[in-house]
Amino acid sequence: MEKGVSLERALEIALESPFHRKTELIGLEDAAGRLLARDLASKVDDPRFDNSAMDGWAVRKDDCNDTGTVLRIVGTSQAGSSTTTTVGKGEACSIMTGAPLPEGADAIVMIEDSTEEGESVTINGPARPDYIRKKGENLERGVTALLAGTLLTPAAVSLAATMGHSEVEVVSKPKIAVIAVGDELVPPGETLGEAEIFESNTYGIAAMIRKMGGAPERFELIQDTIELLRDTLDEAAKSCDAIITSGGVSMGKWDIVRSIMEDEGEVGFWRVMMRPGGPPLFGTWKGTPIFGLPGNPVSSHVVFTVLVSEWISRCMEADQAMGPRLSNRVRVIMQEPLKGAPGKLCMRRISIRQEGESLVGSTSTHQGSGNIHSMVAHNGLSLLPPGTDSKEGETIDALWLF
Ligand code: AMP
Ligand code: MG
């Protein structure tokens, strides 16, 4: 077991015990938000044939060098019907956006630049070859346009359909157990005893798992009892791909997740040199990977955001740039000084916004690791290297959360 590791090292250790990635074939209508498991190649040329980008006239460019040219109308090309018309010298064919280009034509005149009168049309504007969309100019048949590991955004789903796929193979949603531990915790909505608080972490953690493309399974709250915890971990290890616990990983006497993992599980690391979120652990319980997150609400959210989400993404074999993420790394000019942490990567909650040419950052609420409101009132995290403060006006690395 390694103690007090850097964030990078923590990820490395966790990646030595990934969950087993499965895949499944699903209908395209259900594919948005899923991670593509296999490269997708186009079954067609896009466009399939030369067609018009405008409603107007298919013409020969050389006929239209002078404004006021009058051309004889020889037919119509409509989207969805094949055309047999040929455009000869001095002729024009009426054409709609997306309709096949008739033979002989090499340019399009927009309808706005013409006057139609009976059998003929007067051309008042330019005849443009670039209003023709060429066969295969977007994608040629057989080209792989969607790579395995891509998050299927609405545009990616449209592209898959354009390429002729009605089904896609995606990464199955990993089932991840979420377990909260603590005698003081009561589900929200129930009556609180004197020293009790509402349990909140499992809701936030489950929401982040869902955002990463996973399927969270919230277990019943458990008291600080080793026997209960052991049974729950056993059940979770059997039914889920990975386990996330909240609470009970610090130094205290009642920090039973840490103690049971030390005695009966396999621990890869304990404690990461970061603030907030110092005490997490990672290991395996009966072969199933397990993250023990700290109970403080900000700590558990931050550890998930910077570590667990990255691990899930890698286990799912997401493309680093195209896969699901919870944040984006940016450079931010701080509008006020920020205090760092000795020996630890310091992630203060900051608000990031665009001002002129730059991104600027500021803080508003109390920064305590128990204050989940600070994660709502802000939309970013500073990435102050260990032992570094930042001054007002200094540019720092930060994570922009989404
Ligand atoms: P622990 O990590 O168990 O020492 O808990 C640290 C702090 O976080 C304590 O103040 C706990 O009451 C609080 N806490 C622990 N688990 C949760 C939870 N699931 N939801 C909200 N607060 C929690
Ligand atoms: Mg506790």
Side-chain angles (χ1 to χ4, degrees):
M1 189 232 290
E2 293 184 34
K3 275 190 191 175
V5 298
S6 68
L7 187 55
E8 294 72 28
R9 180 69 190 135
L11 181 63
E12 260 172 40
I13 294 171
L15 284 171
E16 285 166 17
S17 305
F19 60 75
H20 178 62
R21 185 189 94 138
K22 298 174 205 109
T23 68
E24 64 197 16
L25 199 63
I26 62 167
L28 197 56
E29 64 275 22
D30 299 318
R34 302 296 297 270
L35 194 69
L36 194 63
R38 235 180 240 285
D39 292 351
L40 273 195
S42 187
K43 297 181 177 187
V44 291
D45 290 308
D46 173 35
R48 281 200 58 219
F49 40 81
D50 291 359
N51 70 83
S52 177
M54 297 286 168
D55 289 326
W57 303 94
V59 297
R60 292 176 171 232
K61 185 168 169 31
D62 281 348
D63 285 348
C64 305
N65 289 334
D66 307 316
T67 28
T69 309
V70 178
L71 302 175
R72 193 164 67 84
I73 301 171
V74 290
T76 298
S77 178
Q78 228 171 304
S81 5
S82 43
T83 176
T84 47
T85 310
T86 302
V87 174
K89 205 169 160 34
E91 294 177 343
C93 177
S94 168
I95 192 163
M96 313 303 149
T97 304
L101 188 74
E103 258 200 65
D106 59 9
I108 303 290
V109 175
M110 287 200 299
I111 195 127
E112 294 87 333
D113 290 338
S114 71
T115 326
E116 187 178 346
E117 269 181 271
E119 304 285 284
S120 60
V121 57
T122 308
I123 304 301
N124 308 314
R128 296 181 53 168
D130 57 341
Y131 285 162
I132 297 168
R133 304 191 284 212
K134 294 298 232 181
K135 175 179 172 172
E137 75 178 7
N138 301 334
L139 274 184
E140 276 172 18
R141 185 184 167 145
V143 164
T144 300
L146 283 171
L147 296 173
T150 300
L151 176 68
L152 291 168
T153 59
V157 170
S158 281
L159 178 56
T162 299
M163 299 195 298
H165 297 275
S166 60
E167 290 182 318
V168 284
E169 192 168 338
V170 296
V171 178
S172 301
K173 295 182 179 184
K175 212 164 139 189
I176 304 181
V178 185
I179 301 165
V181 185
D183 282 342
E184 74 280 31
L185 306 173
V186 172
E190 291 188 10
T191 311
L192 289 173
E194 214 167 289
E196 294 176 336
I197 61 166
F198 291 129
E199 192 280 312
S200 62
N201 288 343
T202 60
Y203 294 92
I205 292 168
M208 290 188 283
I209 291 171
R210 227 172 260 124
K211 236 173 154 173
M212 291 304 300
E217 182 133 320
R218 287 180 51 250
F219 277 63
E220 279 230 1
L221 254 174
I222 53 178
Q223 307 287 302
D224 288 321
T225 321
I226 288 276
E227 289 67 35
L228 255 179
L229 178 60
R230 184 184 298 115
D231 290 348
T232 308
L233 291 180
D234 282 349
E235 198 189 322
K238 269 195 215 116
S239 60
C240 295
D241 298 302
I243 303 169
I244 296 177
T245 62
S246 139
V249 285
S250 307
M251 314 275 248
K253 202 160 149 200
W254 297 109
D255 285 325
I256 59 168
V257 175
R258 178 186 48 78
S259 61
I260 201 174
M261 282 299 296
E262 277 176 359
D263 296 344
E264 304 173 36
E266 298 279 331
V267 182
F269 70 75
W270 177 44
R271 296 213 309 258
V272 180
M273 300 309 277
M274 59 189 264
R275 178 178 293 164
L281 67 73
F282 175 84
T284 54
W285 180 264
K286 316 245 157 104
T288 301
I290 173 170
F291 277 95
L293 303 190
N296 271 312
V298 173
S299 307
S300 68
H301 274 253
V302 168
V303 175
F304 192 103
T305 304
V306 300
L307 178 60
V308 184
S309 71
E310 193 67 29
W311 178 80
I312 292 176
S313 175
R314 301 273 190 101
C315 293
M316 289 174 83
E317 294 173 31
D319 181 293
Q320 291 299 289
M322 304 284 279
R325 280 170 306 150
L326 297 180
S327 64
N328 206 7
R329 208 183 168 103
V330 289
R331 299 275 292 161
V332 174
I333 303 172
M334 282 309 297
Q335 293 190 316
E336 60 212 72
L338 264 192
K339 210 163 164 32
K344 292 179 176 176
L345 172 68
C346 185
M347 289 173 282
R348 303 250 173 229
R349 271 69 71 210
I350 61 174
S351 292
I352 300 175
R353 65 192 176 281
Q354 182 88 41
E355 254 182 35
E357 298 285 289
S358 330
L359 294 177
V360 298
S362 58
T363 59
S364 49
T365 66
H366 177 55
Q367 291 276 340
S369 62
N371 183 19
I372 192 65
H373 181 235
S374 70
M375 290 290 289
V376 178
H378 298 97
N379 63 355
L381 294 172
S382 70
L383 292 172
L384 290 180
T388 346
D389 299 330
S390 90
K391 296 186 210 61
E392 184 187 331
E394 202 171 314
T395 302
I396 63 162
D397 285 326
L399 294 175
W400 202 348
L401 308 177
F402 32 76

